[in-house]
């Protein structure tokens, strides 16, 4: 078999690029975080579907219209929506490189988030005290699982918020911290959207049945 020869003075063929394309530091962070949010969407979609199937299985126990206090839930919803607004102000301040205002708005967001969790824990303890725990019926198992999973996400978000406040306090509004703020912003607003679904599908429609 004849071997291929390269004429004198000719360049060897290149099968790959010698210079790689430039990628900005952290350019894949947002894409990766969007993929995570999509996986979280699947989790909540599954929980909503399970609740929809089990919501009519009361096992002779109390139903949504007997258990849910819409006024309390409306206050809780307002706490979470206000936290989303304050986080928006935090992002505006971060874009203006105003470190103090950013930390202040982040702190306000955390306080609203804690108020939301406090009201949710009160609701859970009240339901259990009334004998309507997750073991009472399939309806309540689905309710506690769906609402509790959302509450765990809010808890994680608050812990993330505290860590991010420490990072901004020490390192300032550097590009890396800006990216972290953007990721937490997506996560926090995502939780708001999920809660609107919970409020409508679980509480409001449950009471109107």
């Amino acid at each position: 078999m004849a071997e291929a020869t390269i004429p004198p003075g000719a360049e060897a063929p290149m099968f790959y690029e010698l210079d790689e394309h430039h990628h900005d530091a952290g350019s894949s962070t947002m894409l990766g975080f969007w993929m995570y949010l999509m996986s979280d969407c699947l989790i909540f979609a599954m929980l909503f579907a399970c609740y929809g199937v089990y919501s009519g299985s009361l096992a002779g126990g109390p139903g949504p219209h007997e258990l849910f206090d819409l006024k309390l839930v409306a206050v809780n919803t307002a706490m979470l929506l206000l936290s989303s607004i304050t986080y928006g102000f935090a992002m505006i301040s971060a874009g203006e490189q105003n470190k103090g205002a950013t930390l202040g708005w982040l702190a306000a967001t955390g306080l609203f988030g804690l108020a939301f969790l406090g009201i949710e824990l009160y609701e859970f303890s009240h339901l259990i005290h009334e004998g309507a725990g997750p073991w009472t019926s399939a309806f309540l198992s689905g309710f506690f699982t769906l609402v509790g999973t959302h509450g765990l996400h809010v808890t994680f978000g608050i812990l993330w918020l505290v860590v991010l406040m420490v990072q901004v306090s020490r390192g300032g509004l550097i590009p890396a911290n800006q990216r972290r703020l953007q990721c937490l912003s997506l996560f926090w607003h995502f939780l708001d959207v999920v809660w609107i679904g919970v409020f409508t599908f679980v509480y409001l429609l449950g009471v109107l049945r």
Side-chain angles (χ1 to χ4, degrees), residues 54-73:
Y54 297 139
S55 59
S57 302
L58 305 180
H65 61 282
E66 300 170 285
L67 295 174
F68 296 156
D69 183 357
L70 278 185
K71 293 181 180 179
L72 181 65
V73 179

Side-chain angles (χ1 to χ4, degrees), residues 14 16-22:
M14 292 189 301
Y16 58 90
E17 294 187 13
L18 295 177
D19 296 326
E20 296 184 357
H21 296 292
H22 174 72

Side-chain angles (χ1 to χ4, degrees), residues 185-206:
S185 176
L186 289 174
F187 182 76
W188 201 264
H189 295 312
F190 168 75
L191 295 181
D192 271 7
V193 173
V194 172
W195 181 255
I196 291 173
V198 172
F199 176 75
T200 304
F201 185 62
V202 176
Y203 290 100
L204 192 58
L205 293 181

Side-chain angles (χ1 to χ4, degrees), residues 21-186:
H21 296 292
H22 174 72
H23 297 283
D24 296 330
S27 60
S28 61
T29 300
M30 298 305 296
L31 174 61
F33 198 77
W34 273 110
M35 293 176 66
Y36 159 72
L37 286 182
M38 293 303 101
S39 68
D40 238 11
C41 281
L42 294 176
I43 293 174
F44 279 106
M46 178 188 67
L47 294 177
F48 273 107
C50 290
Y51 177 81
V53 172
Y54 297 139
S55 59
S57 302
L58 305 180
H65 61 282
E66 300 170 285
L67 295 174
F68 296 156
D69 183 357
L70 278 185
K71 293 181 180 179
L72 181 65
V73 179
V75 172
N76 210 21
T77 302
M79 293 297 101
L80 195 60
L81 293 179
L82 286 172
S83 74
S84 187
I85 293 173
T86 55
Y87 200 101
F89 283 126
M91 292 301 296
I92 293 173
S93 299
E96 297 173 348
Q97 289 293 315
N98 190 333
K99 176 181 171 181
T102 301
L103 291 173
W105 287 117
L106 290 176
T109 301
L111 291 176
F112 281 125
L114 287 173
F116 172 85
L117 286 177
I119 295 174
E120 189 169 282
L121 289 174
Y122 168 78
E123 180 190 27
F124 280 5
S125 64
H126 177 72
L127 291 175
I128 293 173
H129 179 73
E130 294 293 322
W135 51 84
T136 305
S137 64
F139 150 65
L140 285 168
S141 295
F143 167 77
F144 275 90
T145 302
L146 173 57
V147 179
T149 301
H150 180 271
L152 287 176
H153 277 70
V154 175
T155 302
F156 174 74
I158 292 174
L159 293 175
W160 185 2
L161 182 69
V162 172
V163 172
L164 191 50
M165 288 179 66
V166 173
Q167 292 175 327
V168 171
S169 179
R170 292 181 176 179
L173 294 168
I174 58 176
N177 285 338
Q178 292 273 10
R179 286 195 303 273
R180 293 165 185 149
L181 284 169
Q182 290 172 2
C183 288
L184 182 54
S185 176
L186 289 174

